[in-house]
Each structure stands twice: as structure tokens, then as C-alpha cells.
Amino acid sequence: EKFINAGYGADMKEKWFGEVKPMLAKKNSCINLPYIVDGDDVITQSNTCALYLGRKLGTDTDANFAKNHTVLDQTMDLRNDLMKVVYAFSGIVKTKEEFPEGAKQHIAGTTTANFTKLE
């Protein structure tokens, strides 16, 4: 099957928000990044994309189900902890100047704990 890796950078406002997102919203009103287009199906949201690929590629079998979903949940814990550092409204890092120290604390703390669990 054909695979296209789409990335958005400096053109995000024009390309993603102005063109691609409105087009994909016609097929999936919840459209966001990341997304997968598979024929007529448009799959979105990080966890749903991972679950979809697991089923589609045959890795999310009954035998692997609990382990796969545990890793997915642990990854979400890692992501949620990171959001506390990168989003100013979270209350941990509120300014650009606070970011380096907040990032160091994050890496030494919850990042290490989350990755250790995934070893």
C-alpha cells in the first residue's frame, strides 16, 4: 500500500489549518494531528492511530493485547507529564526563562520513571 508521510512546519497555518484539516473534517469531524488516511477511512488522535495500526498490522493480537495497551497507557502518562512542562497554562513552566530548569527536572524525574517502566 502507498504510504505518504505528511509533516507541517512553517506552513502549518496555510497547509494544515487552511487546506488539509477542513478537507479531512468532512470524513472525520474529530480530525486532529496525528491522523491516518486508509482508503475512505480517516483515523485521528494518537491512541486511536496506535490502536488502529496495531489491528491493521496484526500486532495487537489477543496474546499481546494487555502488554500493548499497557505500553500505550504508559506512553500517555509520559505525554501528559511533558505537557505540564511545554504548555505555559499548566502551571509548572510559565515563562520561556523557566523552561530549561523545568525541562531538566522533567527529564530527571517523571521522564526517567516512565522510560524505566518501559524497559
Side-chain angles (χ1 to χ4, degrees), residues 53-69:
L53 289 173
R55 290 289 179 167
K56 182 85 176 179
L57 300 173
T59 59
D60 197 20
T61 62
D62 288 344
N64 295 329
F65 180 86
K67 288 181 182 178
N68 288 347
H69 290 255

Side-chain angles (χ1 to χ4, degrees), residues 46 74-84 87:
S46 300
Q74 193 63 48
T75 303
M76 280 306 297
D77 289 348
L78 175 63
R79 179 245 183 233
N80 290 340
D81 288 342
L82 177 62
M83 294 306 103
K84 296 173 187 173
Y87 288 128

Side-chain angles (χ1 to χ4, degrees), residues 7-16:
Y8 306 97
D11 65 343
M12 183 170 233
K13 183 176 180 182
E14 296 81 20
K15 188 72 175 167
W16 169 245

Side-chain angles (χ1 to χ4, degrees), residues 6 14 16 18 23 25 30-32 42-43 46-47 55 57 73 75-78 84 96 106 119:
E14 296 81 20
W16 169 245
M23 178 188 66
C30 295
I31 193 64
N32 206 344
V42 176
I43 296 88
S46 300
N47 287 355
R55 290 289 179 167
L57 300 173
D73 291 341
T75 303
M76 280 306 297
D77 289 348
L78 175 63
K84 296 173 187 173
K96 182 178 178 180
H106 172 67
E119 290 180 348

Side-chain angles (χ1 to χ4, degrees), residues 17-74:
F17 288 108
E19 296 176 28
V20 178
K21 187 173 183 175
M23 178 188 66
L24 294 175
K26 293 174 185 174
K27 292 188 174 189
N28 185 333
S29 62
C30 295
I31 193 64
N32 206 344
L33 297 171
Y35 66 90
I36 298 167
V37 177
D38 186 12
D40 289 333
D41 295 324
V42 176
I43 296 88
T44 190
Q45 298 295 347
S46 300
N47 287 355
T48 305
C49 288
L51 293 170
Y52 179 84
L53 289 173
R55 290 289 179 167
K56 182 85 176 179
L57 300 173
T59 59
D60 197 20
T61 62
D62 288 344
N64 295 329
F65 180 86
K67 288 181 182 178
N68 288 347
H69 290 255
T70 299
V71 168
L72 184 59
D73 291 341
Q74 193 63 48

Side-chain angles (χ1 to χ4, degrees), residues 98-110:
E98 293 174 347
F99 179 78
E101 183 58 32
K104 284 180 192 175
Q105 290 176 6
H106 172 67
I107 291 168
T110 59

